[in-house]
Amino acid sequence: MIAFETSDLIAVLDCLMKWFLILLVALCVDLALRRSAATVRHLVWVLAMAAVLLCPLVSLFLPQVDLPLFAVGLGGMDASMDVGNMGLVEKAKSGISGTQVLIYGYALGVGLVLIWQLIGRVYASRLRRLSRPASDPELLGAFRQVMAELRTHGRVDLVQSDVAAIPFSTGFVRPAVVLPMTADAWPPEVLRTVLIHELGHVKRKDVVTRALAQLSCSLHWVNPIAWYGLRRVFIEQEIACDDLVLETGAKPSVYAKALLVLARAGGGKLSFAPAALGRRAELKDRLLEILKPKRSKVRLGTAGVLAGLCVALLFLAPLSALNLWEAAMAPAGAVVEKAAADPEKKAQEPSEKSIENSEGGKKADKKTTARSLDAPDLKKEVASIKKQIEKMKKSGASEKDIQVFSTESKKKLAALEKKFKETQAAQEAKAKTEAKNPEE
């Protein structure tokens, strides 16, 4: 089992916080652009998902700036210390620490989400392999006509499946449009709108941006905004392709009716691949967008994409250079600070026995005072530190964390001993002065 250190946990938490800030900004921008075109909103979320993946890589090439807004306590260390003559000996204890539980739990979540996404893609790939190439002349003719109309370059396969309940597109290197076997009987206008929509996904490379968004969501599965952003990516892709259909001359009412017919036709079967790829449960949003009285006609060109990239980089670069988390030495530090404060206070206060033996409370017994000054109580403070360490033994700790704690404690205990000696010297000098001048 890999032994993770507190520094590893800090790195994970730092990434999660930066990813949260990125997606939060994307959410705010998305809400501000609700009336803009779907391609614009889609670009916002795609850039945010890409920034999540690039943030750790960008931070490797930038000088880091410490801006600790959050802290991780190192109280769960495993160490045994023998403080004798101000020496510290550390021993690591084997076991599972809280740090390891958190990191392994996070990694398990990432793995489960990735497996779910991978199952959907494997199923879609298998479904495509089991499909048969389309052979109907009218279907192939309509497919070639739409490809020419959309200026879709490269090879795109048209296949039919008796398993697929609804049409969908798939494939990274060699894309394909998968249609149900019943597509041969569809009316020409319905077939045309379906082909335009699916070839629109191919032309826009939606399968790539979809995979990017799914990977980003897998890494940040603990954040609800990541899941919301993933859903928005899917919905905006569908709406953008719906816009493409309407731009070719299809009537919104006719197209909405065709979508409802296809949804009813696929309602009897479970099409797992489209569901896992995010192509289900967005029909309501799509219909509302299609039937809008006023639709945004702003289209996103190359200049708009480049402008979005520049804005994203200007936000990503400074954020990647920040260190938002730090290690807090609160448990051990509190003990050492107490050890540094209490003995000094005790050295400055006379003992009860000194007060009882004083004449009128003004003259302290010289012998008792000297004994008080000669007992700085370092052993008691060292025992207090050892007691704290015993509590830490119950948790695992890395050698690096133990070394940091030991070095810090050694410095503070050395400073404490120095203060004891200075205080004792001052008290002895004061006692000698009072002995020479008893009347004062």
Side-chain angles (χ1 to χ4, degrees):
M1 180 179 293
I2 301 176
F4 291 104
E5 301 178 357
T6 304
S7 58
D8 299 320
L9 177 61
I10 291 176
V12 172
L13 293 175
D14 190 65
C15 285
L16 290 175
M17 179 53 61
K18 291 176 182 178
W19 295 344
F20 172 78
L21 295 176
I22 291 171
L23 295 177
L24 181 62
V25 171
L27 175 62
C28 296
V29 175
D30 175 70
L31 295 176
L33 298 176
R34 293 312 300 164
R35 295 188 177 184
S36 62
T39 52
V40 177
R41 300 192 298 268
H42 178 258
L43 178 65
V44 170
W45 283 111
V46 169
L47 290 177
M49 296 296 185
V52 167
L53 298 177
L54 292 175
C55 186
L57 300 178
V58 174
S59 63
L60 297 177
F61 300 97
L62 294 177
Q64 297 298 294
V65 178
D66 291 330
L67 185 63
L69 302 179
F70 311 94
V72 179
L74 300 183
M77 290 189 200
D78 168 32
S80 65
M81 300 176 56
D82 181 15
V83 186
N85 297 324
M86 307 308 294
L88 300 176
V89 180
E90 310 91 11
K91 296 180 181 179
K93 178 183 177 182
S94 60
I96 300 178
S97 65
T99 296
Q100 291 175 322
V101 171
L102 291 175
I103 294 181
Y104 278 117
Y106 165 74
L108 178 62
V110 173
L112 291 176
V113 177
L114 283 176
I115 289 173
W116 164 249
Q117 305 292 359
L118 183 60
I119 289 175
R121 296 203 170 274
V122 170
Y123 185 87
S125 178
R126 181 175 178 273
L127 193 150
R128 174 187 173 178
R129 289 196 306 268
L130 296 177
S131 301
R132 292 172 289 179
S135 57
D136 184 73
E138 294 184 3
L139 183 59
L140 292 173
F143 182 70
R144 296 190 188 98
Q145 182 181 357
V146 172
M147 282 192 64
E149 187 176 345
L150 297 181
R151 297 179 182 179
T152 305
H153 304 289
R155 179 178 176 178
V156 182
D157 296 332
L158 179 64
V159 297
Q160 290 181 278
S161 171
D162 54 0
V163 178
I166 58 177
F168 66 96
S169 58
T170 185
F172 289 93
V173 179
R174 189 175 173 181
V177 175
V178 181
L179 300 178
M181 293 301 296
T182 57
D184 296 341
W186 289 350
E189 62 274 10
V190 175
L191 178 61
R192 174 180 167 79
T193 56
V194 169
L195 291 177
I196 293 174
H197 183 95
E198 298 305 330
L199 285 173
H201 284 300
V202 174
K203 184 177 181 179
R204 287 166 40 86
K205 308 295 182 185
D206 282 342
V207 67
V208 177
T209 55
R210 195 179 304 150
L212 181 147
Q214 289 176 316
L215 178 59
S216 178
C217 183
S218 300
L219 293 177
H220 207 197
W221 61 271
V222 295
N223 185 4
I225 302 180
W227 292 99
Y228 175 81
L230 179 63
R231 181 175 181 271
R232 292 312 309 176
V233 168
F234 293 150
I235 293 177
E236 302 303 349
Q237 287 180 351
E238 299 300 324
I239 295 175
C241 291
D242 291 338
D243 291 342
L244 186 60
V245 173
L246 297 178
E247 288 176 4
T248 60
K251 293 183 179 180
S253 58
V254 175
Y255 182 50
K257 184 177 180 180
L259 288 178
L260 288 173
V261 172
L262 292 175
R264 292 194 189 98
K269 296 182 180 180
L270 174 62
S271 185
F272 181 76
L277 294 174
R279 299 287 304 280
R280 178 176 278 194
E282 297 105 13
L283 183 60
K284 180 180 177 181
D285 298 280
R286 293 174 62 184
L287 293 176
L288 291 175
E289 286 289 333
I290 291 171
L291 298 176
K292 267 186 179 179
K294 295 182 180 181
R295 300 174 56 82
S296 175
K297 296 183 179 181
V298 178
R299 292 296 170 258
L300 194 65
T302 305
V305 174
L306 292 177
L309 285 173
C310 292
V311 173
L313 289 175
L314 289 176
F315 176 75
L316 177 62
L319 181 63
S320 301
L322 296 178
N323 290 325
L324 303 179
W325 287 80
E326 68 174 355
M329 301 291 293
V335 176
V336 177
E337 290 295 335
K338 186 176 182 297
D342 292 349
E344 182 177 353
K345 183 177 179 181
K346 290 181 180 180
Q348 293 175 354
E349 294 179 356
S351 62
E352 293 181 2
K353 188 175 182 179
S354 300
I355 296 176
E356 292 175 358
N357 295 334
S358 63
E359 297 177 2
K362 295 182 180 181
K363 294 182 180 181
D365 182 80
K366 183 177 181 181
K367 185 175 181 180
T368 305
T369 304
R371 182 166 58 253
S372 175
L373 293 174
D374 289 339
D377 212 8
L378 272 175
K379 292 183 179 180
K380 182 178 179 181
E381 300 309 324
V382 170
S384 178
I385 294 176
K386 285 184 177 181
K387 185 177 180 181
Q388 181 70 17
I389 296 303
E390 288 298 325
K391 294 180 181 179
M392 298 178 184
K393 283 185 178 182
K394 297 180 180 180
S395 302
S398 65
E399 294 182 1
K400 182 178 179 181
D401 291 336
I402 298 173
Q403 184 178 5
V404 171
F405 172 78
S406 301
T407 303
E408 189 72 15
S409 300
K410 187 173 182 179
K411 289 180 181 179
K412 292 188 177 182
L413 288 174
L416 177 62
E417 186 182 35
K418 183 179 180 181
K419 286 184 179 180
F420 279 143
K421 291 180 179 180
E422 292 176 354
T423 304
Q424 185 177 15
Q427 291 292 338
E428 289 179 351
K430 183 177 180 181
K432 290 179 179 180
T433 302
E434 291 178 353
K436 293 180 179 179
N437 303 296
E439 296 180 358
E440 295 179 4

